[in-house]
Amino acid sequence: MAAEVLAAGGAQVDLYDAMPSTGRKFLLAGKGGMNITHAEPIEAFVGRYGARGEQVGRWLAGFPPDAVRAWIHALGVATFVGSSGRVFPTDMKAAPLLRAWLHRLREAGVRFHMRHRWTGWRDGKLVFATPDGERLEAAGAVVLALGGASWARLGSDGAWVPLLRGQQVEVAPLVPMNCGFEADWSEHFKSRHAGAPLTTVALALDDDAGRRVFRKGQFVVSASGIEGSLVYALSGQIRERIARDGQATVWIDLLPDHDAARVLEEAARPRGSRSLSSHLQGRLGIAGVKAGLLRECLSKDQFADPQALARALKALPLVLTRPRPIDEAISSGGGVRFDALDGDGGAGMLRALPGVFVAGEMIDWEAPTGGYLLTACFGSGRAAGQGALDWLKRKA
Ligand SMILES: Cc1cc2nc3c(=O)[nH]c(=O)nc-3n(C[C@H](O)[C@H](O)[C@H](O)COP(=O)(O)OP(=O)(O)OC[C@H]3O[C@@H](n4cnc5c(N)ncnc54)[C@H](O)[C@@H]3O)c2cc1C
């Protein structure tokens, strides 16, 4: 995006990437159905960036979700809005979009240099490790868009963190976001239920005031814990809670479509000679992984007590012990602090390194899945490109 803005503004752009081809994570994002932005009103959209809403909002003001869609359409790719408001390319894929985009960038004069790993600065020049040895390049302005630290094999490995810290740029530690969490499953539970999806559930984490707001959705039991979209939606808060307290208790509503009174009525209903398990299955549809979770997380006494059982069906406590490793996460939090950016941070220029701009996931903001990640990356890329262009003009 920065390259596009710079080239359109008349700059000669050289784009370097450590990988043999560019946009590998963008392509991976297209594997499960590329969710490129969201159709909700802009106020709600900006709210997804939490404490960084104001800063990210500046990027979005320059390139809002509607502009993202228009930009995709201009590349010859149609989009549609899913039932949840998520926006996808019609074919759900990233490859045709990336192909058209790279073609347009080449036409605009952007020169691509693959297998060029940036390793820092020397004598005011950028240093690259290449298959043909080291290469030094001078640049009028530099935009770094090096990504976070998840899925390192696709290129973004976070190796830039010490390089920027070494230049007095403040960088918050990179942490997993939109990630799974570990739970101490018993061997028995794990062997029977790892991989099982929970499709009608709700999940909550109490806030510091003890408020509990359940969110409906889906997640999956994994061999090590839980993962999936509903878990990712709460992942920032769960991660912070574990960092503070050493663990986090989440609450699972196994019957989000039943009210508590109805659940208690059914759990307490005389069951004659039926076992409790078949009673729960018959009256409330609790079977498979849901039944397994109840057994896993409740004591025998709680399971046998209709009151405790009914409470647990509507709010089953599950202790999470740590996030899964950052490399497995969909995205990472942390990164270059907004305080390290010049002015209001909108253009992404580093205070410590005038003429050097940063963009995308390497900056310290985070968001849930839903197209919010790519949309913020696009907006910040365009803002950095414009900032670099203005910088070049001022210098000329
Ligand atoms: C499985 C998965 C699915 C996702 N799905 C979605 C989705 O549907 N919607 C959504 O909005 N987001 C999604 N995301 C997140 C989204 O892909 C990222 O937030 C986005 O790609 C980040 O863009 P970026 O340009 O900041 O960094 P990246 O896309 O990570 O690009 C960074 C680039 O920098 C290069 N690089 C790094 N270090 C160096 C170096 N030292 N020298 C040279 N080059 C270097 C890398 O090779 C890479 O090409 C998904 C992510 C994953 C992992």
Coordinates of all heavy atoms in Angstrom, one line a residue, residues 313-390:
L313 N -24.0 -25.7 33.5 CA -24.4 -25.7 32.1 C -24.5 -24.3 31.5 O -24.3 -24.2 30.3 CB -25.8 -26.4 32.0 CG -25.8 -27.9 32.1 CD1 -27.2 -28.5 32.5 CD2 -25.3 -28.6 30.8
K314 N -24.8 -23.4 32.3 CA -24.9 -22.0 31.8 C -23.6 -21.2 32.0 O -23.4 -20.1 31.5 CB -26.1 -21.2 32.6 CG -27.5 -21.7 32.2 CD -27.8 -21.5 30.7 CE -28.0 -20.0 30.3 NZ -28.1 -19.9 28.9
A315 N -22.7 -21.7 32.9 CA -21.5 -21.0 33.1 C -20.5 -22.0 33.7 O -20.3 -22.1 34.9 CB -21.7 -19.8 34.1
L316 N -19.8 -22.7 32.8 CA -18.9 -23.8 33.2 C -17.5 -23.1 33.3 O -17.0 -22.6 32.3 CB -18.9 -24.9 32.1 CG -18.0 -26.1 32.4 CD1 -18.5 -26.9 33.6 CD2 -17.8 -27.0 31.2
P317 N -16.9 -23.2 34.5 CA -15.5 -22.5 34.6 C -14.4 -23.4 34.0 O -14.4 -24.6 34.2 CB -15.3 -22.4 36.1 CG -16.2 -23.5 36.7 CD -17.3 -23.8 35.7
L318 N -13.6 -22.7 33.2 CA -12.5 -23.5 32.6 C -11.2 -22.6 32.8 O -11.2 -21.4 32.4 CB -12.7 -23.7 31.1 CG -11.5 -24.3 30.3 CD1 -11.2 -25.7 30.8 CD2 -11.8 -24.3 28.8
V319 N -10.2 -23.2 33.4 CA -9.0 -22.5 33.7 C -8.0 -22.6 32.5 O -7.7 -23.7 32.1 CB -8.3 -23.0 35.0 CG1 -7.0 -22.3 35.3 CG2 -9.3 -22.8 36.2
L320 N -7.6 -21.4 32.0 CA -6.6 -21.4 30.9 C -5.2 -21.0 31.5 O -5.2 -20.1 32.4 CB -7.0 -20.4 29.9 CG -8.4 -20.8 29.2 CD1 -8.8 -19.7 28.3 CD2 -8.4 -22.1 28.5
T321 N -4.2 -21.7 31.1 CA -2.9 -21.5 31.8 C -1.9 -20.7 31.1 O -1.1 -20.0 31.7 CB -2.3 -22.9 32.1 OG1 -2.2 -23.6 30.9 CG2 -3.1 -23.7 33.2
R322 N -2.0 -20.7 29.7 CA -1.0 -19.9 28.9 C -1.5 -19.8 27.5 O -2.2 -20.7 27.0 CB 0.4 -20.4 29.0 CG 0.7 -21.7 28.3 CD 2.1 -22.2 28.6 NE 2.2 -22.8 29.9 CZ 1.9 -24.0 30.2 NH1 1.4 -24.8 29.3 NH2 2.0 -24.5 31.5
P323 N -1.1 -18.7 26.8 CA -1.4 -18.7 25.4 C -0.6 -19.7 24.6 O 0.5 -20.1 25.0 CB -1.0 -17.3 24.9 CG -0.5 -16.6 26.1 CD -0.3 -17.6 27.2
R324 N -1.1 -20.2 23.5 CA -0.3 -21.0 22.6 C 0.9 -20.1 22.0 O 0.8 -18.9 22.0 CB -1.1 -21.5 21.4 CG -2.2 -22.6 21.9 CD -1.5 -23.9 22.4 NE -0.7 -24.5 21.3 CZ 0.3 -25.4 21.6 NH1 0.6 -25.7 22.8 NH2 0.9 -26.0 20.6
P325 N 1.9 -20.7 21.5 CA 3.1 -20.0 21.1 C 2.7 -18.9 20.0 O 1.8 -19.2 19.2 CB 4.0 -21.0 20.5 CG 3.6 -22.3 21.2 CD 2.2 -22.2 21.5
I326 N 3.4 -17.8 20.0 CA 3.1 -16.7 19.1 C 3.2 -17.2 17.6 O 2.4 -16.7 16.8 CB 4.1 -15.5 19.3 CG1 3.5 -14.3 18.6 CG2 5.5 -15.8 19.0 CD1 4.2 -13.0 19.0
D327 N 4.0 -18.1 17.3 CA 4.2 -18.6 15.9 C 2.9 -19.1 15.4 O 2.6 -19.1 14.2 CB 5.3 -19.6 15.8 CG 5.7 -19.7 14.3 OD1 5.9 -18.7 13.7 OD2 5.9 -20.8 13.8
E328 N 2.0 -19.7 16.3 CA 0.8 -20.3 15.8 C -0.4 -19.3 15.7 O -1.5 -19.6 15.3 CB 0.3 -21.3 16.8 CG 1.1 -22.6 16.9 CD 0.6 -23.5 18.0 OE1 -0.5 -23.4 18.5 OE2 1.4 -24.4 18.3
A329 N -0.1 -18.1 16.3 CA -1.2 -17.1 16.4 C -1.6 -16.5 15.0 O -0.8 -16.5 14.1 CB -0.8 -16.0 17.3
I330 N -2.8 -16.0 14.9 CA -3.2 -15.4 13.6 C -2.5 -14.0 13.5 O -2.2 -13.6 12.4 CB -4.8 -15.1 13.6 CG1 -5.6 -16.4 13.8 CG2 -5.2 -14.3 12.4 CD1 -5.7 -17.2 12.6
S331 N -2.3 -13.4 14.6 CA -1.6 -12.1 14.6 C -0.8 -11.9 15.9 O -0.9 -12.7 16.8 CB -2.6 -10.9 14.4 OG -3.5 -10.9 15.4
S332 N -0.1 -10.8 15.9 CA 0.6 -10.5 17.2 C 0.3 -9.1 17.6 O 0.0 -8.2 16.8 CB 2.1 -10.7 17.1 OG 2.7 -10.2 15.9
G333 N 0.3 -8.9 18.9 CA 0.1 -7.6 19.5 C 1.5 -7.1 19.9 O 2.5 -7.8 19.7
G334 N 1.6 -5.9 20.5 CA 2.9 -5.3 20.7 C 3.5 -4.7 19.4 O 2.9 -4.8 18.4
G335 N 4.8 -4.3 19.5 CA 5.4 -3.7 18.4 C 5.8 -2.2 18.6 O 5.9 -1.8 19.8
V336 N 6.1 -1.5 17.6 CA 6.6 -0.1 17.7 C 5.5 0.7 18.4 O 4.4 0.7 18.0 CB 6.9 0.5 16.3 CG1 7.3 2.0 16.5 CG2 8.0 -0.3 15.6
R337 N 5.9 1.3 19.5 CA 4.9 2.1 20.3 C 4.6 3.4 19.6 O 5.4 4.0 19.0 CB 5.6 2.4 21.7 CG 5.7 1.3 22.6 CD 6.0 1.8 24.0 NE 6.5 0.7 24.9 CZ 5.7 -0.1 25.6 NH1 4.4 -0.1 25.4 NH2 6.3 -1.0 26.3
F338 N 3.3 3.8 19.8 CA 2.9 5.0 19.1 C 3.7 6.2 19.6 O 3.9 7.1 18.9 CB 1.4 5.2 19.4 CG 0.5 4.4 18.4 CD1 0.1 3.2 18.7 CD2 0.2 4.9 17.1 CE1 -0.7 2.4 17.8 CE2 -0.5 4.2 16.2 CZ -1.0 2.9 16.5
D339 N 4.2 6.1 20.9 CA 5.0 7.2 21.5 C 6.3 7.3 20.7 O 6.9 8.4 20.8 CB 5.4 6.8 22.9 CG 4.2 7.1 23.8 OD1 3.2 7.7 23.4 OD2 4.3 6.7 25.0
A340 N 6.7 6.3 20.0 CA 8.0 6.3 19.2 C 7.8 7.0 17.9 O 8.7 7.2 17.1 CB 8.5 4.9 19.1
L341 N 6.5 7.3 17.6 CA 6.2 7.9 16.2 C 6.1 9.4 16.3 O 5.7 10.0 17.4 CB 4.9 7.3 15.7 CG 4.8 5.8 15.6 CD1 3.5 5.4 15.1 CD2 5.9 5.3 14.7
D342 N 6.5 10.0 15.2 CA 6.5 11.5 15.2 C 5.1 12.1 15.2 O 4.1 11.5 14.7 CB 7.2 11.9 13.9 CG 7.6 13.4 13.9 OD1 8.1 13.8 14.9 OD2 7.3 14.0 12.9
G343 N 4.9 13.3 15.7 CA 3.6 14.0 15.7 C 2.5 13.2 16.4 O 2.7 12.6 17.4
D344 N 1.4 13.1 15.7 CA 0.3 12.3 16.3 C 0.4 10.8 15.9 O -0.5 10.0 16.2 CB -1.1 12.9 15.9 CG -1.3 12.8 14.3 OD1 -0.5 12.1 13.6 OD2 -2.4 13.3 13.9
G345 N 1.5 10.5 15.2 CA 1.7 9.0 14.9 C 1.0 8.6 13.6 O 1.3 7.5 13.1
G346 N 0.2 9.5 13.1 CA -0.6 9.1 11.9 C 0.2 8.7 10.7 O -0.3 7.8 9.9
A347 N 1.3 9.3 10.5 CA 2.1 9.0 9.3 C 3.1 7.8 9.5 O 3.8 7.3 8.6 CB 2.8 10.2 8.8
G348 N 3.3 7.4 10.8 CA 4.2 6.3 11.1 C 5.7 6.6 11.0 O 6.5 5.7 10.9
M349 N 6.1 7.9 11.1 CA 7.5 8.2 11.0 C 8.1 8.0 12.4 O 7.6 8.5 13.4 CB 7.8 9.6 10.5 CG 9.3 9.8 10.3 SD 9.7 11.2 9.3 CE 9.7 12.5 10.5
L350 N 9.3 7.4 12.4 CA 9.9 7.1 13.7 C 10.6 8.4 14.2 O 11.4 9.1 13.4 CB 11.0 6.0 13.5 CG 10.4 4.7 13.2 CD1 11.6 3.7 12.9 CD2 9.6 4.1 14.4
R351 N 10.3 8.8 15.4 CA 10.9 10.0 16.0 C 12.4 9.9 16.0 O 13.1 10.9 15.7 CB 10.4 10.1 17.5 CG 10.0 11.4 18.0 CD 9.8 11.2 19.5 NE 8.4 10.8 19.8 CZ 7.4 11.7 19.8 NH1 7.6 13.0 19.5 NH2 6.2 11.3 20.1
A352 N 12.9 8.7 16.3 CA 14.4 8.5 16.5 C 15.1 8.4 15.1 O 16.3 8.6 15.0 CB 14.7 7.2 17.3
L353 N 14.3 8.2 14.0 CA 14.9 8.0 12.7 C 14.1 8.7 11.7 O 13.4 8.2 10.9 CB 15.0 6.5 12.4 CG 15.8 5.5 13.3 CD1 15.4 4.1 13.0 CD2 17.3 5.8 13.0
P354 N 14.3 10.1 11.6 CA 13.5 10.8 10.6 C 13.7 10.3 9.2 O 14.8 9.9 8.8 CB 14.1 12.3 10.7 CG 14.7 12.3 12.1 CD 15.2 10.9 12.4
G355 N 12.6 10.2 8.5 CA 12.7 9.6 7.1 C 12.4 8.1 7.1 O 12.4 7.5 6.0
V356 N 12.3 7.5 8.3 CA 12.0 6.1 8.3 C 10.6 5.9 8.9 O 10.3 6.4 10.0 CB 13.0 5.3 9.2 CG1 12.7 3.8 9.2 CG2 14.5 5.5 8.6
F357 N 9.8 5.2 8.1 CA 8.4 5.1 8.5 C 8.1 3.6 8.8 O 8.7 2.7 8.2 CB 7.5 5.6 7.3 CG 7.6 7.0 7.0 CD1 8.8 7.5 6.3 CD2 6.7 8.0 7.4 CE1 9.0 8.9 6.1 CE2 6.9 9.3 7.2 CZ 8.0 9.8 6.5
V358 N 7.1 3.4 9.6 CA 6.7 2.0 9.9 C 5.2 1.8 9.5 O 4.4 2.8 9.6 CB 7.0 1.5 11.3 CG1 8.5 1.3 11.5 CG2 6.4 2.5 12.3
A359 N 4.8 0.6 9.2 CA 3.4 0.4 8.8 C 3.0 -1.1 9.2 O 3.9 -2.0 9.3 CB 3.2 0.6 7.3
G360 N 1.7 -1.3 9.4 CA 1.1 -2.6 9.5 C 1.2 -3.2 10.9 O 1.3 -2.5 11.9
E361 N 1.3 -4.5 10.9 CA 1.3 -5.3 12.2 C 2.5 -5.0 13.1 O 2.4 -5.4 14.3 CB 1.1 -6.8 11.8 CG 0.4 -7.5 12.9 CD 0.2 -9.0 12.5 OE1 -0.4 -9.3 11.5 OE2 0.7 -9.8 13.3
M362 N 3.5 -4.4 12.5 CA 4.7 -4.2 13.4 C 4.5 -3.0 14.4 O 5.3 -2.8 15.2 CB 6.0 -4.0 12.6 CG 6.0 -2.8 11.7 SD 7.5 -2.7 10.7 CE 8.8 -2.5 11.8
I363 N 3.4 -2.3 14.2 CA 3.1 -1.2 15.2 C 2.2 -1.8 16.3 O 1.5 -2.8 16.1 CB 2.4 0.0 14.4 CG1 3.2 0.4 13.2 CG2 2.1 1.1 15.4 CD1 2.6 1.5 12.4
D364 N 2.2 -1.1 17.4 CA 1.6 -1.6 18.7 C 0.1 -1.4 18.7 O -0.4 -0.5 19.5 CB 2.3 -0.9 19.9 CG 1.8 -1.5 21.2 OD1 1.1 -2.5 21.2 OD2 2.0 -0.8 22.2
W365 N -0.7 -2.1 17.9 CA -2.1 -2.1 18.0 C -2.6 -3.6 17.8 O -1.8 -4.4 17.4 CB -2.7 -1.2 16.9 CG -2.3 -1.6 15.5 CD1 -1.2 -1.2 14.9 CD2 -3.0 -2.6 14.7 NE1 -1.1 -1.8 13.6 CE2 -2.2 -2.7 13.5 CE3 -4.1 -3.4 14.7 CZ2 -2.5 -3.5 12.4 CZ3 -4.4 -4.2 13.7 CH2 -3.6 -4.3 12.5
E366 N -3.8 -3.9 18.2 CA -4.3 -5.2 17.9 C -5.8 -5.2 17.7 O -6.4 -4.2 18.1 CB -3.9 -6.2 19.0 CG -4.3 -5.8 20.4 CD -3.7 -6.7 21.5 OE1 -2.6 -7.2 21.3 OE2 -4.5 -7.0 22.5
A367 N -6.3 -6.2 17.1 CA -7.7 -6.2 16.8 C -8.1 -7.7 16.7 O -7.3 -8.6 16.4 CB -8.0 -5.5 15.5
P368 N -9.4 -8.0 16.8 CA -9.9 -9.3 16.6 C -9.9 -9.7 15.1 O -9.7 -8.8 14.3 CB -11.3 -9.3 17.2 CG -11.7 -7.9 17.1 CD -10.5 -7.1 17.3
T369 N -10.2 -10.9 14.8 CA -10.4 -11.2 13.4 C -11.7 -10.6 12.9 O -12.5 -10.2 13.7 CB -10.4 -12.8 13.1 OG1 -11.4 -13.3 14.0 CG2 -9.1 -13.4 13.5
G370 N -11.9 -10.6 11.6 CA -13.1 -10.0 11.1 C -12.8 -9.0 10.0 O -13.7 -8.2 9.6
G371 N -11.5 -9.0 9.5 CA -11.1 -8.0 8.5 C -10.5 -6.8 9.0 O -10.0 -6.0 8.3
Y372 N -10.4 -6.7 10.4 CA -9.9 -5.5 11.1 C -8.4 -5.5 10.9 O -7.8 -4.4 10.9 CB -10.3 -5.5 12.5 CG -11.8 -5.6 12.7 CD1 -12.4 -6.8 13.2 CD2 -12.6 -4.6 12.3 CE1 -13.7 -6.9 13.3 CE2 -14.0 -4.7 12.4 CZ -14.5 -5.9 12.9 OH -15.9 -6.0 13.0
L373 N -7.7 -6.6 10.8 CA -6.3 -6.7 10.8 C -5.8 -6.1 9.4 O -5.0 -5.1 9.4 CB -5.7 -8.1 11.0 CG -6.1 -8.7 12.3 CD1 -5.9 -10.2 12.3 CD2 -5.2 -8.0 13.4
L374 N -6.3 -6.7 8.3 CA -5.9 -6.2 7.0 C -6.3 -4.8 6.8 O -5.5 -4.0 6.2 CB -6.5 -7.1 5.9 CG -5.7 -8.5 5.8 CD1 -6.5 -9.4 4.8 CD2 -4.3 -8.3 5.3
T375 N -7.5 -4.4 7.2 CA -7.9 -3.0 7.0 C -7.0 -2.0 7.7 O -6.6 -1.0 7.1 CB -9.4 -2.8 7.4 OG1 -10.2 -3.7 6.7 CG2 -9.9 -1.4 7.2
A376 N -6.6 -2.3 8.9 CA -5.7 -1.4 9.6 C -4.3 -1.4 8.9 O -3.7 -0.3 8.8 CB -5.5 -1.8 11.1
C377 N -3.9 -2.6 8.5 CA -2.6 -2.6 7.8 C -2.6 -1.8 6.5 O -1.7 -1.0 6.2 CB -2.2 -4.1 7.4 SG -1.7 -5.1 8.8
F378 N -3.7 -1.9 5.8 CA -3.8 -1.1 4.5 C -3.8 0.4 4.8 O -3.1 1.1 4.2 CB -5.2 -1.4 3.8 CG -5.3 -2.8 3.2 CD1 -6.5 -3.4 3.0 CD2 -4.2 -3.5 2.9 CE1 -6.7 -4.6 2.4 CE2 -4.3 -4.8 2.3 CZ -5.5 -5.3 2.1
G379 N -4.6 0.8 5.8 CA -4.7 2.2 6.2 C -3.3 2.7 6.6 O -2.9 3.8 6.2
S380 N -2.6 1.9 7.5 CA -1.3 2.5 8.0 C -0.3 2.4 6.8 O 0.6 3.3 6.8 CB -0.9 1.7 9.2 OG 0.0 0.6 8.9
G381 N -0.4 1.5 5.9 CA 0.5 1.5 4.8 C 0.3 2.7 3.9 O 1.3 3.3 3.5
R382 N -0.9 3.0 3.7 CA -1.2 4.2 2.8 C -0.7 5.5 3.5 O -0.1 6.4 2.9 CB -2.7 4.3 2.5 CG -3.1 3.2 1.6 CD -4.5 3.5 1.0 NE -4.5 4.4 -0.1 CZ -4.3 3.9 -1.4 NH1 -4.1 2.6 -1.6 NH2 -4.2 4.8 -2.4
A383 N -0.9 5.5 4.9 CA -0.5 6.7 5.6 C 1.0 6.8 5.6 O 1.5 8.0 5.5 CB -1.0 6.6 7.1
A384 N 1.7 5.7 5.8 CA 3.2 5.8 5.8 C 3.7 6.2 4.4 O 4.6 6.9 4.2 CB 3.7 4.4 6.2
G385 N 3.0 5.6 3.3 CA 3.4 6.0 2.0 C 3.3 7.5 1.7 O 4.1 8.2 1.2
Q386 N 2.1 8.0 2.2 CA 1.9 9.5 2.0 C 2.9 10.3 2.9 O 3.4 11.3 2.4 CB 0.5 9.8 2.5 CG 0.0 11.2 2.2 CD 0.1 11.6 0.7 OE1 -0.4 10.8 -0.2 NE2 0.8 12.6 0.3
G387 N 3.2 9.8 4.1 CA 4.2 10.5 4.9 C 5.5 10.5 4.3 O 6.2 11.5 4.3
A388 N 5.9 9.4 3.7 CA 7.2 9.3 3.0 C 7.3 10.2 1.8 O 8.3 10.8 1.5 CB 7.5 7.8 2.6
L389 N 6.1 10.3 1.1 CA 6.1 11.1 -0.1 C 6.2 12.6 0.3 O 7.0 13.4 -0.2 CB 4.7 10.9 -0.8 CG 4.6 11.3 -2.2 CD1 5.6 10.6 -3.1 CD2 3.1 11.0 -2.7
D390 N 5.5 13.0 1.4 CA 5.6 14.4 1.9 C 7.1 14.6 2.4 O 7.6 15.7 2.1 CB 4.7 14.6 3.1 CG 3.2 14.5 2.7 OD1 3.0 14.5 1.4 OD2 2.4 14.3 3.5

